[in-house]
Amino acid sequence: MTRIQSRPVSQQAFARLADAGLHPLLARLYAARGIARADELDTRLKNLLPPEALTGTQEAAVLLADAIEAGARMVIVADYDCDGATACAVGMRALRAFGADVHYLVPDRVTLGYGLTPAMVEIAARLEPDVLITVDNGIASVEGIAAARAHGMATVITDHHLPGDVLPEADVIVNPNQPGCDFPSKALAGVGAMFYTMLALRAELRERGAFAGGTEPNLADLLDLVALGTVADVVKLDRNNRILVAQGLARMRAGRMQAGIRALFALAGRDPARASTMDLGFMIGPRLNAAGRLSDMSLGIECLITDDAGRAMNIAQELDKLNRERRSIEAGMQEEALARLAGINGEVSAGNRATVALFEPDWHQGVIGIVAGRIKEKLHRPTIAFARANDGELKGSGRSIPGLHLRDALDLVTKRQPDLIVRFGGHAMAAGLTIRESELARFDAAFEEVVSELLEPAQLERRIDTDGSLESGYFALDAVRMLDNEIWGQGFPAPVFDDVFRVERQRLLKDKHLKLELSRGGSRYEAIQFNHAEGAAAQIHAAYRLGINEYQGVSSVQLMVEHFEAA
């Protein structure tokens, strides 16, 4: 069951924003998202929270500046997703610009797993680093940090994941979610934590006179990387993150971006002059993530750190090929998952359960998170998909729904049954875990029990929050482009409207996409709902986004239907 519900709009905030000169439609949308004053929308860099407000940045800056002055060797240990790759690229580019001897490593998802494990430290030790830096991981690496210290390495953790009960004994930890850190933006991504660390390091080097008589590196040139990692990691776009993303997008639109990002835009068939958060989240990010899912994220990192346009394009082509392969694997896994969930009548349902836990012996570790997300979207249930790992273990990747903090739910399972989960970590909406294959049924029961207690029945009903009816005058290309130019994302959702339409014509495209011609108030609109093969009634109540359909050089407004029901 899906319910369409309009967001409330503060009329006082709307009037204040409109009086400040905002377009009436934007004023209404922003008021519905909690914006009360126009200055909250000021995305100039001067409004960024200062680096010194983030616990650990000053200590990290001193340690790294000392290391640069001493000619010490540094090694960055990255994560194998887009956030980790962009964070690594920010570190590599900034540290090299500062004159550091710096290298990077990224663990293989299948053989080494996530984070700074003792096995990863042994690999890093071959490079004989004096300083080991983690990006987008490390806050749970108690044993890994101990192993690095045993090798005599200084250790700096930059991360944003939630810590466990015990913190690693690193020399410095930069993480807005660590105990005692009152940095206002707890939603900072891993790439954001690394960017802030580099800002603090530049200030420290400036204080030491490192740039006297020379050119100081402009770290704003790295904001395209910061924007990409922030959007792709689906962190909440609070004001600070919106500033980072807005500044990164502005640089892309102006043609100022890394060679690898330019190449990925070209392979995705998108124009960076009109770059949007949708492009980053659904077109560019997945191509980078494909390397970590199916191959080696070093490929993605190399794409982001090269300045050679030809090499960047060659790597981007490899990433594009991997992404097509990923989509094929995902389609097969999703089909198997839906078949498992189909009842006698063929209808896919979670039944009376509050959760979904799925496993097939041949599923690919790198794709289970995507499959979990697809099933979660379809059934509106917290979903975990498992794949086989080594030594009789299963790796699980979970996605949650509003109202359930997934990492906390797994923590509660562990507190009740300490021997059940081997390891886990993550966020409110996404988490990973490892269990023994023999314990799958027991985990399924324990997870279901915990989530059933934490969620009310009403929270298991899918709800689409909309911005209400849209005036017919806004069904225009200028209005769509105005909306696309704004910063939307997690916690600051893109506009969705709802209206009642007559269905004038309908047909299926490629046997799976419903193409519609709708009418309202004497006007007709083209519409499409992707991956929806069921026909529509003569009159429907539809929740939809505004999009642009490009066909044979002609642009026209198209309604992107999210959900409809007979009206």
Side-chain angles (χ1 to χ4, degrees), residues 73-86:
R73 172 170 290 194
M74 305 179 191
V75 169
I76 297 173
V77 176
D79 185 22
Y80 40 64
D81 68 358
C82 188
D83 189 17
T86 52

Side-chain angles (χ1 to χ4, degrees), residues 1 341 349-357 371-384 398-402 404 406 447-448 451-452 455-462:
M1 184 69 181
L341 293 165
S349 167
N352 296 321
R353 291 176 54 93
T355 65
V356 176
V371 172
R374 301 279 191 240
I375 300 302
K376 180 266 294 187
E377 287 296 324
K378 188 169 188 65
L379 299 181
H380 196 70
R381 295 289 188 275
T383 300
I384 299 178
R399 299 293 183 268
S400 193
I401 62 175
L404 180 79
L406 188 53
F447 184 55
E448 172 72 16
V451 173
S452 296
L455 289 178
E456 296 294 329
Q459 292 173 292
L460 296 174
E461 179 181 291
R462 184 179 180 225

Side-chain angles (χ1 to χ4, degrees), residues 409-483:
L410 294 175
D411 187 49
L412 186 52
V413 170
T414 297
K415 285 181 168 60
R416 292 182 178 181
Q417 301 191 44
D419 63 331
L420 181 53
I421 299 178
V422 177
R423 67 189 71 89
F424 72 96
H427 303 292
M429 301 304 288
L433 70 155
T434 300
I435 64 172
R436 288 172 291 278
E437 186 169 342
S438 59
E439 299 282 27
L440 178 60
R442 186 157 74 101
F443 171 79
D444 187 16
F447 184 55
E448 172 72 16
E449 179 182 334
V450 164
V451 173
S452 296
E453 293 175 12
L454 295 175
L455 289 178
E456 296 294 329
Q459 292 173 292
L460 296 174
E461 179 181 291
R462 184 179 180 225
R463 189 184 76 195
I464 296 180
D465 291 317
T466 79
D467 294 289
S469 179
L470 184 65
E471 297 90 331
S472 59
Y474 292 137
F475 288 83
L477 290 172
D478 287 348
V480 183
R481 288 175 177 143
M482 177 183 71
L483 295 180

Side-chain angles (χ1 to χ4, degrees), residues 249 252-255 257 261-262 264-277 279-280 283-284 481 550:
L249 282 173
M252 294 178 201
R253 291 166 182 168
M257 69 201 89
I261 290 182
R262 185 185 302 278
L264 288 166
F265 265 98
L267 265 296
R270 307 298 291 180
D271 181 4
R274 289 160 56 183
S276 69
T277 51
D279 290 331
L280 301 187
M283 305 299 285
I284 310 303
R481 288 175 177 143
E550 308 273 2

Side-chain angles (χ1 to χ4, degrees), residues 77-156:
V77 176
D79 185 22
Y80 40 64
D81 68 358
C82 188
D83 189 17
T86 52
C88 183
V90 165
M92 291 294 294
R93 285 185 170 277
L95 288 167
R96 283 176 176 174
F98 296 151
D101 175 10
V102 60
H103 309 266
Y104 76 88
L105 292 167
V106 58
D108 179 271
R109 180 190 292 266
V110 175
T111 60
L112 290 168
Y114 170 79
L116 184 69
T117 60
M120 193 65 206
V121 171
E122 293 306 314
I123 294 172
R126 298 171 194 165
L127 297 176
E128 300 182 348
D130 302 293
V131 182
L132 201 64
I133 307 165
T134 70
V135 292
D136 195 31
N137 75 94
I139 197 65
S141 302
V142 175
E143 295 176 351
I145 291 293
R149 291 174 66 92
H151 276 282
M153 305 172 195
T155 53
V156 177

Side-chain angles (χ1 to χ4, degrees), residues 20 30 36 44 54 134 138 148 172 219 249 277 324 330 335 366 408 420 455 468 511 514 539 566:
Y30 282 132
R44 287 178 292 178
L54 180 57
T134 70
V172 184
L219 296 186
L249 282 173
T277 51
R324 290 196 301 272
E330 175 202 334
E335 190 175 318
D408 287 356
L420 181 53
L455 289 178
D511 296 323
L514 184 62
Q539 185 163 284

Side-chain angles (χ1 to χ4, degrees), residues 297-342:
M297 186 45 100
S298 296
L299 195 64
I301 294 170
E302 286 298 315
C303 187
L304 299 178
I305 64 176
T306 184
D307 292 322
D308 183 322
R311 182 163 186 262
M313 180 56 74
N314 288 337
I315 298 173
Q317 287 170 340
E318 285 295 311
L319 294 172
D320 190 62
K321 180 181 175 183
L322 284 170
N323 193 50
R324 290 196 301 272
E325 183 183 346
R326 185 271 304 168
R327 285 203 299 260
S328 175
I329 293 171
E330 175 202 334
M333 289 170 58
Q334 186 174 337
E335 190 175 318
E336 290 177 345
L338 293 173
R340 284 275 307 276
L341 293 165

